[in-house]
């Protein structure tokens, strides 16, 4: 059990979808901050466990906000 956060990035190609390179280096950038994500093309998933403290959830989404390009 847990929660899920999903962010859809602007596609870098006309196709978008799972083969879009938008999230190619995001996994490494998030790992530098000890956050595991699941980037699939231009969609980024964060799946923290249910027992994650609220402060850690805020830290994860602060990192998301700092690493993702502005809209």
């Amino acid at each position: 059990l847990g929660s899920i956060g999903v962010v859809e990035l602007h596609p870098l190609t006309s196709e978008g979808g799972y083969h879009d390179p938008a999230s190619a280096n995001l996994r490494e950038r998030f790992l530098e901050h000890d956050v595991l994500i699941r980037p699939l093309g231009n969609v980024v998933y964060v799946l923290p466990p249910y027992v994650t403290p609220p402060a850690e959830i805020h830290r994860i989404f602060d990192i998301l906000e700092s690493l993702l390009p502005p809209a």
Side-chain angles (χ1 to χ4, degrees):
L1 295 175
S3 56
I4 184 170
V6 180
V7 177
E8 184 175 4
L9 306 173
H10 289 82
L12 294 180
T13 66
S14 60
E15 289 180 24
Y18 289 136
H19 300 292
D20 191 285
S23 63
N25 71 345
L26 283 178
R27 185 185 320 265
E28 289 80 19
R29 293 175 62 199
F30 278 90
L31 280 175
E32 291 171 2
H33 295 278
D34 298 321
V35 174
L36 296 175
I37 63 167
R38 184 171 188 196
L40 294 171
N42 65 319
V43 180
V44 176
Y45 295 86
V46 180
L47 301 111
Y50 182 71
V51 297
T52 306
E56 185 66 12
I57 299 289
H58 286 287
R59 185 183 83 82
I60 291 168
F61 286 101
D62 287 344
I63 293 167
L64 264 170
E65 186 176 33
S66 72
L67 293 180
L68 294 178

